[in-house]
Amino acid sequence: MPGMLDTSASGVYIIAATPFTDTGDVDTASIDRLMDFYLGAGVTGVTVLGIMGEAPKLTHAESVALTKQVVRRMNGLPVVVGASAPGFASMGALAKDVMDAGAGGVMVAPPSTLKTDDQIVQYYANVAEAIGPDTPFVLQDYPYASGVYMSTSVIRRIVQENPSCKMVKHEEWPGLEKLTAMKTMMADGSMRRVAIMCGNGGLFLPQELERGADGGNTGYAFPEMLVQLVKLIQGGKREEGHDLFDRHLPLLRYEQQPGMLGLAVRKYVLKKRGAIASDAQRKPGIKLSKEAIAEIEFMLARLERKN
Amino acid sequence: MPGMLDTSASGVYIIAATPFTDTGDVDTASIDRLMDFYLGAGVTGVTVLGIMGEAPKLTHAESVALTKQVVRRMNGLPVVVGASAPGFASMGALAKDVMDAGAGGVMVAPPSTLKTDDQIVQYYANVAEAIGPDTPFVLQDYPYASGVYMSTSVIRRIVQENPSCKMVKHEEWPGLEKLTAMKTMMADGSMRRVAIMCGNGGLFLPQELERGADGGNTGYAFPEMLVQLVKLIQGGKREEGHDLFDRHLPLLRYEQQPGMLGLAVRKYVLKKRGAIASDAQRKPGIKLSKEAIAEIEFMLARLERKN
Amino acid sequence: MPGMLDTSASGVYIIAATPFTDTGDVDTASIDRLMDFYLGAGVTGVTVLGIMGEAPKLTHAESVALTKQVVRRMNGLPVVVGASAPGFASMGALAKDVMDAGAGGVMVAPPSTLKTDDQIVQYYANVAEAIGPDTPFVLQDYPYASGVYMSTSVIRRIVQENPSCKMVKHEEWPGLEKLTAMKTMMADGSMRRVAIMCGNGGLFLPQELERGADGGNTGYAFPEMLVQLVKLIQGGKREEGHDLFDRHLPLLRYEQQPGMLGLAVRKYVLKKRGAIASDAQRKPGIKLSKEAIAEIEFMLARLERKN
Amino acid sequence: MPGMLDTSASGVYIIAATPFTDTGDVDTASIDRLMDFYLGAGVTGVTVLGIMGEAPKLTHAESVALTKQVVRRMNGLPVVVGASAPGFASMGALAKDVMDAGAGGVMVAPPSTLKTDDQIVQYYANVAEAIGPDTPFVLQDYPYASGVYMSTSVIRRIVQENPSCKMVKHEEWPGLEKLTAMKTMMADGSMRRVAIMCGNGGLFLPQELERGADGGNTGYAFPEMLVQLVKLIQGGKREEGHDLFDRHLPLLRYEQQPGMLGLAVRKYVLKKRGAIASDAQRKPGIKLSKEAIAEIEFMLARLERKN
């Protein structure tokens, strides 16, 4: 079904920023512009309302409206919606409304209160029930942010027990051996196939692709680099891929500063590139210092020279 | 203004359970019954949708409807509504709707991501703005659950900078010296007066009252004991107060088991006492084992003999 | 072998305070006096250098000397020594030296860095190797302090894979269902028998004994109560046991305040009862406020009247 | 005094690996070889027994012996010794012994149990007392590893109240604005001057130097790059500095994988470069997979071509 998330996901599912006006309203004109920018870069899907989408600052109604608009603009590409929530009621309500709005699936990270393997597995059984068995979901494995560490055996249990789990967003900072372990389990049949798309801010994307990841699921402000990198590596042009990646690595690394600071960098570049009208974050947000702006401009100038 | 939370809060603000039917619906008939039970016990206010009110399991609409019903039934007593949320958008939206529904204020605990003193102070400035400057709020100081430790100087800064902070829910397990420090700051004028109502599951309520707390803000299934204890201690009948409290301490302690297990004990007793029709928790909840039920019954029998 | 910890442990293994002089030296005279006090109360073993023994404030040499002295005084009763450490080198070195000094075993809590089930199991395999396969050890399951949550299946794996694990110190605040689960696994043969001795500050000791715990492993300043309680409950005198326990519960609860405050209460009472010469904690320690002392004295007076 | 840490520290204080033989003994021959390698690269100081020095796996005696050997070999350059410990007794004992062995100072990170600003400040007052007022110390500000977040006002308080604090190891992942804030406080006199040396695995070293950091305090396996980078940036050759840094960034990033995996990468390269005889980690350690080795070799080959 077009637009539905399934286990064949690959390429780049871009983590979308949420554009706001300087006064803090959702900037719907920029949403369209940003989606066109992503489409022009060749992305194969989009994830909205993740951490870097400032999801907790949007009301339920705004979240649903944004999803509708993005779905319309993305021309049938899968739209995944972040649906992590402190309770199953709001998670279920959001999942229902965004799926009705045409989303292709939802992404759920575990709450930091989960401790044992069994608790994590049980949590995702509850998630699958709360969002409905027909709603495809992405298991987000991001321990740095969630505080929850999933062993590969836990991921396998979640995948095996929940047919609606279609994809793992892999970002264990970086967890390369875990990625290899998951690929091995899929190869030997001990875990059914799901898509493995990598976050980690893109910092290890070449290695991840070489170890068998299906693609990237991150939001670097030069999405065309991510798209091209996937093609080069998967097409066997390894040196060329690394050359491309290494040129971007200084800026990519700078954009990966934790929390809303990294987002400020990303939005600054997206604005400069014309993809959004304002780089404002909705309150409480942060602004770049003049030192930070100078550092970004310096790196952009160097990047341009090297391209 | 009747029903509005202000700094004169005292007595017992009961932490209300949320009654569900065995099939997981909000049990509106039991809400009325439970409020009558609390009123009959002599409470002076009620806090709904706290942790022990299973708040994250209710949708926004259910939360607002429950608030409306409770406000109507409580005859002008203040109704405080838990409004802790991962983002200010949903916090602000809930605060607006429950205040429109007649609530007297909201209670906000800090998110575990806050680390430094300044971050905590800034967070509550944002809270005050998100819920609106006219919405009275309770600062919940419950580090065991929130993971956030506030020094007395942080509490003072929050109180001094936010006139809409009317009450501190004190439960630092137990934090008796902190309570004394806050009373001292209020006495010497270095902190304006706010109500200090104590949680801690009631486990230290006699000592807290003797150190100057204004009352209790907990949900023990014998609220009449809490009410009577406040009267006895504040009326100078110390030994009598402790005699009363000590009779209940075995059960009170048993009810303070962490998480949803403690709530299961509480609801079991509330049901047995006729205050609610079912002791079911909404999913994901837990059920008491037969061993636990036998233990509760044993303690109830002993309590009855001693009264 | 006399004095060695084995799976038949029962009764009360008292958590020993470490006596210091007012100037911060280890008070060796008080060590003897305190051990005599414990022996007089009828304890069956002693655990030294736990959290409540201010272990991190002692040097290696002091720890070994204290162990030697306690072993000598305890007349062949098992002496368990806390050996939790940030690294296996110091853990192994301490274990070797205290075992050479006559200790009966060591107790090890997991470091907070452990996350997954597998990591916890692997850690204890490393522990067993570091301390040597002939050194009996106690698995301390105290998530509130360690930050590590062990499911019953993890405990079973540790017990099954490490013959030198002789005892579980159970204190999951309180974890009554987990205790029942462990007893069930031992009864049906899916886990070999180990002793289950309960910490939890003694707050749930009657229920723990009724569910099959072998005894207590806590340090309440009235150890004779703990000893008598075990005898009464295990001897079938349930009501009498609870009567005894309930009389002490107000003070017991007060002594369970977290961290060094609880220890200050305990040492105050131990000193008052003549078991130690000074209630000083080695720096950094805390002192009781005059309000706290008054509260303790009030409870002691009430306890005396009720006995 | 030669070899003593003071506030004039600059250049590169290399974070030294601890060499072991394949059977787990401290490899004293490789210690000399490694120190010569560092000296040849132009480092201005060395930090031993940090996290990346596998400190918790060494006994006290081994730690002191290693310090002695390093001091002897470093020809009067300051040797800083990691002295973080769970208790002040062992911290004080280690500090005394390594200072007697000729160390120039110690480095102390805060324990994760510290929560409020006041607790952190108090902790370092205790540290200064435990190690002695004449022992220079480095304040390690590494929240990702310690779990403790220090605001700039906390750092200022620690610096102002403890004359023996000579240096801040800055690594707030990356905390560039905090670095600028500290420099501003030193410039306007609100904080006395201390050295600011940056960790962060070197990932942001160019920006840190441009913002006024005095140098690097990290352990990348190409220390000559770090040394040269500091000279270039501090000498005003910005583009040249970034050119150098960017060539190394792919490998540098790969070496910054958390925990012992990053150390395995570092030791692999150090061994390949002849600086140590074995890349073994003392147990419990980890070994590189064949995939990881292939990735490193690929990056090393690319790095060589670009140089």
Side-chain angles (χ1 to χ4, degrees):
Chain A
M1 191 172 144
M4 286 303 277
L5 174 71
D6 61 35
T7 61
S8 70
S10 65
V12 173
Y13 276 43
I14 196 79
I15 299 288
T18 300
F20 295 102
T21 66
D22 287 342
T23 52
D25 294 315
V26 174
D27 177 358
T28 52
S30 283
I31 292 177
D32 280 351
R33 217 203 294 182
L34 181 61
M35 293 306 130
D36 292 347
F37 173 81
Y38 289 146
L39 286 169
V43 304
T44 50
V46 62
T47 300
V48 297
L49 298 175
I51 299 171
M52 286 298 139
E54 300 177 66
K57 301 176 190 168
L58 271 70
T59 62
H60 181 95
E62 289 175 326
S63 300
V64 176
L66 179 141
T67 302
K68 264 186 198 148
Q69 185 181 352
V70 168
V71 166
R72 209 160 41 226
R73 200 74 177 191
M74 289 303 280
N75 289 329
L77 292 187
V79 176
V80 176
V81 182
S84 304
F88 292 112
S90 45
M91 183 189 299
L94 183 62
K96 183 181 183 319
D97 288 352
V98 299
M99 294 305 289
D100 287 350
V106 299
M107 179 166 73
V108 180
S112 64
T113 46
L114 300 177
K115 302 295 178 187
T116 67
D117 285 10
D118 287 347
Q119 287 172 349
I120 301 169
V121 171
Q122 181 58 49
Y123 182 78
Y124 277 97
N126 291 339
V127 165
E129 186 180 328
I131 63 178
D134 295 333
T135 300
F137 76 88
V138 176
L139 170 60
Q140 186 176 21
D141 181 17
Y142 188 17
Y144 174 76
S146 68
V148 176
Y149 292 76
M150 307 184 202
S151 62
T152 47
S153 63
V154 160
I155 292 177
R156 177 169 52 191
R157 287 168 65 190
I158 295 170
V159 167
Q160 296 302 93
E161 297 174 16
N162 299 283
S164 54
C165 178
K166 302 298 185 191
M167 171 174 146
V168 172
K169 181 175 186 192
H170 172 72
E171 43 188 341
E172 208 196 44
W173 278 69
L176 295 174
E177 301 308 329
K178 190 183 206 174
L179 172 52
T180 295
M182 287 191 290
K183 293 300 294 183
T184 302
M185 291 192 302
M186 290 193 280
D188 70 17
S190 58
M191 183 170 88
R192 71 175 171 85
R193 150 136 194 122
V194 289
I196 310 283
M197 302 283 274
C198 295
N200 283 320
L203 268 176
F204 288 83
L205 192 50
Q207 285 78 20
E208 290 160 341
L209 292 165
E210 289 161 11
R211 284 172 182 247
D214 295 295
N217 190 196
T218 184
Y220 181 48
F222 286 81
E224 67 273 29
M225 184 280 277
L226 303 173
V227 169
Q228 186 64 9
L229 178 67
V230 173
K231 282 182 188 156
L232 288 169
I233 300 284
Q234 292 183 343
K237 300 186 171 169
R238 191 180 185 192
E239 292 282 355
E240 207 177 323
H242 281 263
D243 287 344
L244 170 66
F245 179 80
D246 290 357
R247 282 198 298 276
H248 281 270
L249 186 50
L251 180 60
L252 188 73
R253 163 219 53 166
Y254 195 87
E255 203 196 84
Q256 294 323 311
Q257 294 179 70
M260 293 300 103
L261 180 54
L263 179 62
V265 177
R266 181 176 293 171
K267 280 191 157 183
Y268 180 87
V269 179
L270 286 174
K271 179 187 175 188
K272 192 176 172 83
R273 301 190 73 201
I276 56 178
S278 164
D279 61 353
Q281 296 179 16
R282 184 173 266 189
K283 292 179 64 173
I286 64 168
K287 287 189 193 318
L288 293 174
S289 69
K290 66 179 195 306
E291 289 85 359
I293 290 173
E295 288 161 350
I296 299 167
E297 291 289 350
F298 180 75
M299 283 180 283
L300 285 172
R302 286 176 58 83
L303 178 60
E304 198 159 330
R305 278 205 305 281
K306 284 188 284 183
N307 277 339
Chain B
M1 191 172 143
M4 287 302 277
L5 174 72
D6 61 34
T7 61
S8 70
S10 66
V12 173
Y13 277 44
I14 195 79
I15 298 288
T18 300
F20 295 101
T21 66
D22 287 342
T23 51
D25 295 315
V26 175
D27 177 358
T28 52
S30 283
I31 291 177
D32 280 351
R33 217 205 293 183
L34 181 62
M35 293 307 129
D36 292 347
F37 173 81
Y38 289 147
L39 286 169
V43 304
T44 51
V46 62
T47 300
V48 297
L49 298 175
I51 300 171
M52 286 299 140
E54 299 176 69
K57 300 177 191 167
L58 270 69
T59 63
H60 181 95
E62 288 174 328
S63 299
V64 176
L66 178 141
T67 301
K68 265 187 198 147
Q69 185 181 352
V70 168
V71 166
R72 208 160 41 224
R73 200 74 178 190
M74 289 304 281
N75 290 328
L77 292 186
V79 176
V80 176
V81 181
S84 305
F88 292 112
S90 45
M91 184 190 297
L94 184 62
K96 184 180 183 322
D97 288 352
V98 298
M99 294 306 289
D100 286 350
V106 299
M107 180 165 71
V108 180
S112 65
T113 46
L114 301 177
K115 302 295 177 185
T116 68
D117 285 10
D118 288 347
Q119 287 173 348
I120 301 169
V121 171
Q122 181 58 48
Y123 181 79
Y124 276 97
N126 290 339
V127 165
E129 186 181 326
I131 63 177
D134 295 333
T135 300
F137 76 87
V138 176
L139 169 60
Q140 187 177 20
D141 181 18
Y142 188 18
Y144 174 76
S146 69
V148 177
Y149 291 76
M150 306 185 202
S151 62
T152 47
S153 63
V154 160
I155 292 177
R156 177 169 50 189
R157 287 168 65 189
I158 295 171
V159 167
Q160 294 302 92
E161 296 175 15
N162 299 284
S164 53
C165 177
K166 303 297 185 191
M167 171 174 146
V168 171
K169 181 174 186 192
H170 173 74
E171 43 188 340
E172 209 196 44
W173 278 67
L176 296 174
E177 301 307 330
K178 189 183 207 174
L179 173 51
T180 295
M182 286 192 289
K183 293 300 293 183
T184 302
M185 291 192 304
M186 289 194 280
D188 70 17
S190 58
M191 183 169 89
R192 72 176 170 84
R193 150 136 195 121
V194 289
I196 310 284
M197 303 282 275
C198 296
N200 283 320
L203 267 177
F204 288 83
L205 193 49
Q207 284 78 21
E208 290 161 340
L209 292 165
E210 289 161 12
R211 284 171 182 248
D214 296 295
N217 191 195
T218 184
Y220 181 49
F222 286 81
E224 67 273 30
M225 184 281 276
L226 302 173
V227 169
Q228 185 64 11
L229 178 67
V230 174
K231 283 184 187 155
L232 287 169
I233 300 283
Q234 291 184 341
K237 300 188 171 168
R238 190 180 185 191
E239 292 281 356
E240 205 176 324
H242 281 263
D243 287 344
L244 171 65
F245 179 80
D246 289 357
R247 282 199 296 277
H248 281 270
L249 186 49
L251 180 60
L252 188 74
R253 164 218 52 166
Y254 195 87
E255 202 196 84
Q256 294 322 312
Q257 294 179 72
M260 294 298 103
L261 181 55
L263 178 63
V265 176
R266 181 175 294 171
K267 281 191 156 183
Y268 180 88
V269 179
L270 286 174
K271 179 187 176 188
K272 192 178 172 84
R273 300 190 73 201
I276 54 178
S278 164
D279 61 353
Q281 296 179 16
R282 184 173 266 190
K283 292 180 66 173
I286 62 168
K287 287 190 194 316
L288 294 173
S289 69
K290 66 179 196 305
E291 290 85 358
I293 290 173
E295 286 161 351
I296 298 167
E297 291 289 351
F298 179 75
M299 283 180 284
L300 285 171
R302 286 176 57 85
L303 178 61
E304 197 160 329
R305 278 207 304 282
K306 284 189 283 182
N307 277 339
Chain C
M1 190 172 145
M4 287 302 276
L5 174 71
D6 62 33
T7 61
S8 70
S10 65
V12 172
Y13 277 44
I14 197 78
I15 298 289
T18 299
F20 295 102
T21 65
D22 287 342
T23 52
D25 295 315
V26 174
D27 178 358
T28 51
S30 282
I31 291 177
D32 280 351
R33 218 204 293 182
L34 181 62
M35 292 307 129
D36 292 347
F37 172 81
Y38 290 147
L39 286 168
V43 304
T44 50
V46 63
T47 300
V48 298
L49 297 175
I51 300 172
M52 286 298 140
E54 300 176 67
K57 302 176 190 168
L58 271 70
T59 63
H60 182 95
E62 289 174 327
S63 299
V64 176
L66 179 141
T67 302
K68 265 187 196 146
Q69 187 180 350
V70 168
V71 167
R72 209 161 41 225
R73 200 74 177 191
M74 289 304 281
N75 290 330
L77 292 187
V79 177
V80 177
V81 181
S84 304
F88 293 112
S90 45
M91 184 190 297
L94 183 62
K96 182 180 184 321
D97 288 351
V98 299
M99 294 306 289
D100 286 350
V106 300
M107 178 166 72
V108 180
S112 63
T113 46
L114 300 178
K115 302 295 179 185
T116 67
D117 285 11
D118 287 347
Q119 287 172 348
I120 301 169
V121 171
Q122 181 58 48
Y123 182 79
Y124 277 97
N126 291 339
V127 166
E129 186 180 328
I131 64 177
D134 295 333
T135 300
F137 76 88
V138 177
L139 169 60
Q140 186 177 19
D141 182 17
Y142 188 16
Y144 174 76
S146 68
V148 176
Y149 292 75
M150 306 185 202
S151 62
T152 46
S153 63
V154 160
I155 292 177
R156 177 169 50 190
R157 287 168 65 189
I158 295 170
V159 167
Q160 295 302 93
E161 296 174 17
N162 299 284
S164 54
C165 177
K166 301 299 185 191
M167 171 175 146
V168 172
K169 181 175 186 192
H170 172 74
E171 42 187 342
E172 208 196 43
W173 280 67
L176 296 173
E177 301 307 329
K178 190 182 206 173
L179 173 51
T180 295
M182 287 190 289
K183 293 301 292 184
T184 302
M185 291 191 304
M186 290 193 280
D188 69 18
S190 57
M191 182 168 91
R192 72 175 169 83
R193 149 133 196 124
V194 290
I196 310 283
M197 301 284 273
C198 295
N200 283 320
L203 268 176
F204 288 83
L205 192 49
Q207 284 78 19
E208 290 160 341
L209 292 164
E210 289 161 13
R211 284 172 182 248
D214 296 294
N217 190 195
T218 184
Y220 181 49
F222 286 82
E224 67 272 29
M225 184 280 277
L226 302 173
V227 170
Q228 186 64 11
L229 178 67
V230 173
K231 283 185 186 152
L232 288 169
I233 299 284
Q234 292 183 343
K237 300 187 171 168
R238 190 181 186 191
E239 292 281 355
E240 206 176 325
H242 282 263
D243 287 344
L244 170 65
F245 179 80
D246 290 357
R247 281 199 298 277
H248 281 271
L249 186 50
L251 180 60
L252 189 74
R253 164 218 51 165
Y254 194 88
E255 202 195 84
Q256 293 324 310
Q257 294 179 71
M260 293 300 104
L261 181 54
L263 178 63
V265 176
R266 182 176 293 171
K267 280 191 156 182
Y268 179 89
V269 178
L270 286 174
K271 178 187 176 187
K272 191 176 171 85
R273 302 190 71 200
I276 55 179
S278 164
D279 61 353
Q281 296 179 14
R282 184 173 267 190
K283 292 179 63 174
I286 63 168
K287 287 191 194 316
L288 294 174
S289 68
K290 65 179 196 306
E291 290 85 357
I293 290 173
E295 287 162 350
I296 299 167
E297 290 290 350
F298 180 76
M299 282 180 284
L300 284 171
R302 285 176 57 84
L303 177 60
E304 198 160 328
R305 277 207 305 281
K306 285 189 283 183
N307 278 338
Chain D
M1 193 172 143
M4 286 303 277
L5 174 72
D6 61 34
T7 61
S8 69
S10 65
V12 173
Y13 277 43
I14 196 78
I15 299 289
T18 301
F20 295 102
T21 65
D22 287 342
T23 52
D25 294 316
V26 175
D27 177 358
T28 52
S30 283
I31 291 177
D32 281 350
R33 218 204 293 182
L34 182 61
M35 293 306 129
D36 293 347
F37 173 81
Y38 290 147
L39 286 168
V43 305
T44 51
V46 63
T47 300
V48 298
L49 298 175
I51 300 171
M52 286 298 140
E54 301 176 66
K57 301 176 191 168
L58 270 70
T59 63
H60 180 95
E62 288 174 327
S63 300
V64 176
L66 178 141
T67 302
K68 264 186 197 148
Q69 186 181 351
V70 168
V71 165
R72 208 159 43 224
R73 200 74 177 191
M74 289 304 280
N75 289 328
L77 293 187
V79 176
V80 176
V81 182
S84 305
F88 292 112
S90 45
M91 184 189 298
L94 183 62
K96 183 180 184 321
D97 289 352
V98 298
M99 293 307 288
D100 287 350
V106 299
M107 180 166 71
V108 180
S112 64
T113 46
L114 300 178
K115 303 295 178 185
T116 68
D117 285 10
D118 288 347
Q119 287 173 348
I120 301 168
V121 171
Q122 181 58 48
Y123 182 79
Y124 277 97
N126 291 338
V127 166
E129 186 180 329
I131 64 177
D134 296 332
T135 301
F137 76 87
V138 177
L139 169 60
Q140 186 177 20
D141 181 18
Y142 189 16
Y144 174 76
S146 68
V148 176
Y149 292 76
M150 307 186 202
S151 63
T152 47
S153 63
V154 160
I155 292 177
R156 177 169 52 189
R157 289 168 64 189
I158 295 170
V159 168
Q160 295 302 92
E161 296 174 17
N162 299 284
S164 54
C165 178
K166 302 299 185 191
M167 172 175 145
V168 172
K169 181 175 187 192
H170 173 73
E171 43 188 340
E172 208 197 43
W173 278 68
L176 295 174
E177 301 307 330
K178 190 183 206 171
L179 172 51
T180 295
M182 286 191 289
K183 293 300 293 183
T184 302
M185 291 191 304
M186 290 193 280
D188 69 18
S190 57
M191 183 168 89
R192 72 175 170 84
R193 151 139 192 119
V194 290
I196 310 284
M197 301 283 275
C198 296
N200 283 321
L203 268 177
F204 288 83
L205 192 49
Q207 285 78 20
E208 290 160 342
L209 293 165
E210 289 162 12
R211 284 172 182 247
D214 296 295
N217 191 195
T218 184
Y220 181 49
F222 286 81
E224 66 273 29
M225 183 280 278
L226 302 173
V227 170
Q228 186 64 10
L229 178 67
V230 173
K231 283 183 186 154
L232 287 170
I233 300 283
Q234 291 183 342
K237 300 187 172 169
R238 191 180 185 193
E239 293 281 355
E240 207 176 324
H242 282 263
D243 287 344
L244 171 65
F245 179 80
D246 290 356
R247 282 199 296 276
H248 281 271
L249 187 50
L251 180 60
L252 189 74
R253 163 218 52 164
Y254 194 88
E255 201 195 85
Q256 294 324 312
Q257 294 180 70
M260 294 300 104
L261 180 54
L263 178 63
V265 176
R266 180 176 294 172
K267 281 192 156 182
Y268 179 88
V269 179
L270 287 173
K271 178 186 176 189
K272 191 176 172 85
R273 301 191 73 200
I276 55 178
S278 163
D279 60 354
Q281 296 179 15
R282 185 173 266 189
K283 291 179 65 173
I286 63 167
K287 286 191 194 316
L288 294 174
S289 68
K290 66 178 195 307
E291 290 85 359
I293 290 174
E295 287 161 350
I296 299 168
E297 292 289 350
F298 179 75
M299 282 180 284
L300 285 171
R302 286 176 57 84
L303 177 60
E304 197 159 328
R305 276 206 307 280
K306 283 190 284 183
N307 277 338

